[in-house]
Amino acid sequence: MIAFVALVVAFVSLFSVFLYEPATVTDETEVFTVYFGLTDTDGNAIDATTAMNAINDLCQSYDLGFTTYEAFGGYVSNGTLITNDTLVYMFALTDEDTVRSLTNDAKTDLNIDSVMFEKSLGEISFI
């Protein structure tokens, strides 16, 4: 009986090796970076921790993995430099529509004034 169980476990293990197929990633992989400016539409600062928790929850609801960090940035509007704290989120191994939907939800939920969306091609590998 033990030999039979061992044989079944060995077979399943060997079979899973053939079925396992890691994500094929080439230098044509799209990588999306979203810069959430932490200023609301009324010009008030948005708390970074509150925003990060809300966006992380959205990432979970969209089943998206991500990398995030805090930054400081600015843009020029009508000749005036507007600066603010920024949350930067990077997404890979997903599609543009999903990331844009998440971004729109975050912008609406947090009443964010400025969001910059970047799409680039990159090579992704897991080491």
Side-chain angles (χ1 to χ4, degrees):
M1 183 66 175
I2 293 173
F4 178 72
V5 171
L7 183 62
V8 169
V9 169
F11 179 75
V12 169
S13 297
L14 186 59
F15 190 67
S16 66
V17 167
F18 291 112
L19 286 181
Y20 174 72
E21 194 173 315
T24 303
V25 188
T26 67
D27 55 354
E28 296 295 318
T29 300
E30 292 179 326
V31 178
F32 308 98
T33 306
V34 183
Y35 303 84
F36 295 97
L38 295 180
T39 303
D40 69 16
T41 56
D42 297 323
N44 302 311
I46 299 171
D47 179 68
T49 302
T50 301
M52 186 179 292
N53 288 337
I55 296 169
N56 290 355
D57 288 347
L58 284 170
C59 290
Q60 183 175 358
S61 72
Y62 277 87
D63 292 325
L64 287 178
F66 61 90
T67 298
T68 187
Y69 58 92
E70 292 183 51
F72 182 78
Y75 60 95
V76 177
S77 176
N78 297 321
T80 302
L81 178 63
I82 309 296
T83 61
N84 56 13
D85 292 328
T86 303
L87 287 179
V88 181
Y89 277 76
M90 298 173 65
F91 303 96
L93 306 176
T94 188
D95 60 274
E96 183 173 346
D97 290 340
T98 301
V99 177
R100 284 191 178 272
S101 291
L102 178 140
T103 300
N104 289 332
D105 287 349
K107 185 174 180 182
T108 300
D109 293 351
L110 294 165
N111 195 29
I112 296 175
D113 184 49
S114 176
V115 176
M116 186 171 83
F117 183 89
E118 177 183 13
K119 177 172 71 171
S120 58
L121 296 177
E123 185 173 324
I124 306 291
S125 62
F126 294 94
I127 300 172

